[in-house]
Amino acid sequence: MPSPDISDASARCSDVLDAMEETVIADREFLETVLTGVLARGHVLLEDVPGTGKTLTARSMAEALGLSFTRIQFTPDLLPADVTGSHIYDEQAKDFEFRAGPIFANVVLADEINRAPPKTQAALLEAMSEGQVTTDGTTRDLPEPFFVIATQNPVESEGTFPLPEAQIDRFIVKTTIGYPDPAAERTLLRRRTDRAEKTPSVEQVLGPDRVTAIQSLPEAVTVTDDLIAYMTDIAQATRDQPQVRVGVSPRGTQRLLEAARARAVIEGREYVTPSDVKTIAPAVLAHRLVLTPDATVENVDKRDILVDVVDSIPVPTVSDVDALTTG
């Protein structure tokens, strides 16, 4: 199979988004953000109240991409082996054999991830960070491509375990679906009356090899020095905010670069623009901020802080970008 170019990849990404819009009632910008995380070879955190379509989004993304999908319902009694798998004694072979857990899939939906105890979250962290799991001293690689779409309920806190900052930092983007407007909700109900199944199916657009090939394209996207400085200035500014105790880490700055490149591929460009950075920065950086105790008590929104930071940083001129497009 020939390697796709950016123009072809952009067209395929548009097809994926079109297929998802047939089932998921959500803004296209939200779907683009999720797809950006996938193209940047990262993981996605969806935070919203129950019933807004988080699970449907994850399943639809997997189906449109042609990838295997599993769902793990996180609960306080979930053990690491329930996620990674364990050795089971085979009576016929008179030996122990490894039974792979649900983590061995291309797309893993970690539903209500903050309900899992710390040890189980640590097992998931290895999978997210290294693309592998270790059980009984043996390390096993996860399938390629591999990414986690995790969900959490921002309203209910009883019986939950807050995600450690190290794990939150592994999600390249965090976003929300939100409630649909009245017209969209009517569309949702009309679609339900037009089919016999509760859960709609999605047309497959790509396949594992094609997804992996497209994921390699952002590495070839050009980023000018002005945009490098722009992203650095944004990260630096988050560390100087009075309501922020810990600003964006250097890893977060790298993730912003990777996400901006992925967004350029979705848009069909071989170069990053300031608009790419401004559009994706809140989803990439806001969840990485650690607020001061006072700001936490006052329920200050991290995304609002990040948007204010981005708005305060001068946007680079487009002269270098113009030179890229003409030269």
Side-chain angles (χ1 to χ4, degrees), residues 221-222 227 230 260 264 269 271-278 316 318 321:
V221 170
T222 300
L227 283 174
Y230 181 48
R269 283 185 274 98
Y271 55 89
V272 173
T273 67
S275 177
D276 293 325
V277 178
K278 288 195 71 171
V318 297
V321 172

Side-chain angles (χ1 to χ4, degrees), residues 63-189:
E63 291 178 355
L65 296 177
L67 303 177
S68 61
F69 172 80
T70 59
R71 175 180 177 269
I72 307 173
Q73 180 62 57
F74 281 73
T75 57
D77 61 349
L78 194 71
L79 300 175
D82 296 329
V83 175
T84 62
S86 59
H87 285 86
I88 305 296
Y89 187 72
D90 188 332
E91 288 284 353
Q92 293 183 343
K94 304 298 181 183
D95 198 3
F96 287 91
E97 66 174 17
F98 179 73
R99 297 285 179 86
I103 196 70
F104 284 86
N106 297 125
V107 183
V108 177
L109 172 61
D111 214 356
E112 296 188 282
I113 187 175
N114 55 332
R115 290 194 177 280
K119 282 188 177 181
T120 304
Q121 290 182 4
L124 184 64
L125 179 58
E126 180 191 8
M128 293 171 61
S129 304
E130 309 296 336
Q132 62 185 31
V133 296
T134 302
T135 56
D136 297 329
T138 301
T139 299
R140 295 176 174 83
D141 291 332
L142 294 169
E144 280 286 340
F146 169 78
F147 61 92
V148 172
I149 298 180
T151 73
Q152 63 179 9
N153 181 354
V155 178
E156 192 173 356
S157 59
E158 185 177 351
T160 63
F161 301 84
L163 295 181
E165 298 301 329
Q167 188 158 359
I168 292 178
D169 202 37
R170 289 305 189 275
F171 290 102
I172 193 167
V173 295
K174 176 185 175 185
T175 186
T176 62
I177 304 176
Y179 289 116
D181 60 35
E185 197 156 9
R186 285 192 292 270
T187 300
L188 174 67
L189 296 180

Side-chain angles (χ1 to χ4, degrees), residues 226-249:
D226 281 350
L227 283 174
I228 292 288
Y230 181 48
M231 287 183 272
T232 303
D233 289 345
I234 291 173
Q236 292 281 343
T238 65
R239 303 163 193 164
D240 298 329
Q241 300 304 304
Q243 296 171 308
V244 176
R245 180 163 59 88
V246 180
V248 173
S249 69

Side-chain angles (χ1 to χ4, degrees), residues 207-231:
D209 292 342
R210 195 72 169 176
V211 172
T212 301
I214 292 177
Q215 285 180 321
S216 68
L217 292 178
E219 295 299 322
V221 170
T222 300
V223 186
T224 65
D225 289 343
D226 281 350
L227 283 174
I228 292 288
Y230 181 48
M231 287 183 272

